Amino acid sequence: GNQIQVPMSRAMPCFITLSEWHKRDTHARFGCNSRFIEYGIEMGKSDVRTAKRERVALAFGLKIPHKGDLELVQAWPKDHPLKLIVCGEDRFGCLPEYVAKLKETCKLKGIEYLGSLDKKQKDAWLSKSTLIITNFQKPEAWSLLSVQGQA
């Protein structure tokens, strides 16, 4: 759950953690202070363990081509027992033409597209979804972090 980054405003590296849990764990294990940068996976204030689950598969994450959202939407079967909902950051760092194609494909297939969510909406959807799908095409630490952030 840690990344070492050199922010443009600093002359030395610092630890960046992606959830409050990772921040506390880093301090406990290594004695290092870190900065918590919220990427929408902090579940500490959510009722994730007791939330009523819905029959929803949530395609969650940054909407960029190499994540595979478009391929997932194209391949999602109409008769799947879970309703697919696509959400995640679609403004910052995303290609507008890719996001437009993803939205169009969702509409054609009858799949709900929510796009970017605020913190409260993210917590609610992550808590009540039966299945959370992140980073569909290649290994990446963020997928593991998103699961750890809910532990």
Side-chain angles (χ1 to χ4, degrees):
N2 302 322
Q3 295 182 1
I4 298 176
Q5 297 183 355
V6 183
M8 298 300 277
S9 61
R10 298 185 120 180
M12 60 182 207
C14 66
F15 277 104
I16 304 291
T17 54
L18 302 181
S19 76
E20 287 288 350
W21 180 90
H22 288 106
K23 181 178 180 177
R24 289 188 303 273
D25 184 62
T26 300
H27 189 268
R29 292 171 69 192
F30 308 112
C32 298
N33 292 323
S34 60
R35 291 194 58 211
F36 162 50
I37 305 293
E38 184 175 322
Y39 283 111
I41 61 170
E42 175 58 49
M43 299 301 288
K45 295 182 178 127
S46 295
D47 206 8
V48 70
R49 290 185 180 94
T50 58
K52 184 178 183 312
R53 300 279 182 242
E54 295 185 15
R55 302 292 302 161
V56 167
L58 192 68
F60 180 75
L62 184 63
K63 301 303 165 212
I64 54 178
H66 78 264
K67 301 282 187 173
D69 290 275
L70 185 57
E71 291 82 356
L72 175 70
V73 167
Q74 291 168 335
W76 195 262
K78 273 195 177 285
D79 61 347
H80 197 283
L82 297 178
K83 174 184 176 182
L84 180 62
I85 295 180
V86 179
C87 69
E89 180 58 57
D90 64 357
R91 296 171 295 203
F92 175 75
C94 300
L95 300 169
E97 57 273 11
Y98 176 76
V99 173
K101 176 72 172 169
L102 181 57
K103 287 179 181 180
E104 177 188 335
T105 305
C106 283
K107 186 175 180 179
L108 290 171
K109 295 219 34 182
I111 292 171
E112 190 172 351
Y113 183 90
L114 299 177
S116 295
L117 304 175
D118 66 26
K119 174 75 171 116
K120 188 175 179 179
Q121 292 169 316
K122 286 177 196 175
D123 286 352
W125 279 110
L126 288 169
S127 295
K128 65 186 174 182
S129 297
T130 300
L131 173 66
I132 299 169
I133 307 168
T134 62
N135 196 37
F136 324 111
Q137 289 195 352
K138 65 180 187 176
E140 180 181 285
W142 195 92
S143 299
L144 179 59
L145 293 177
S146 64
V147 173
Q148 289 175 343
Q150 296 177 62

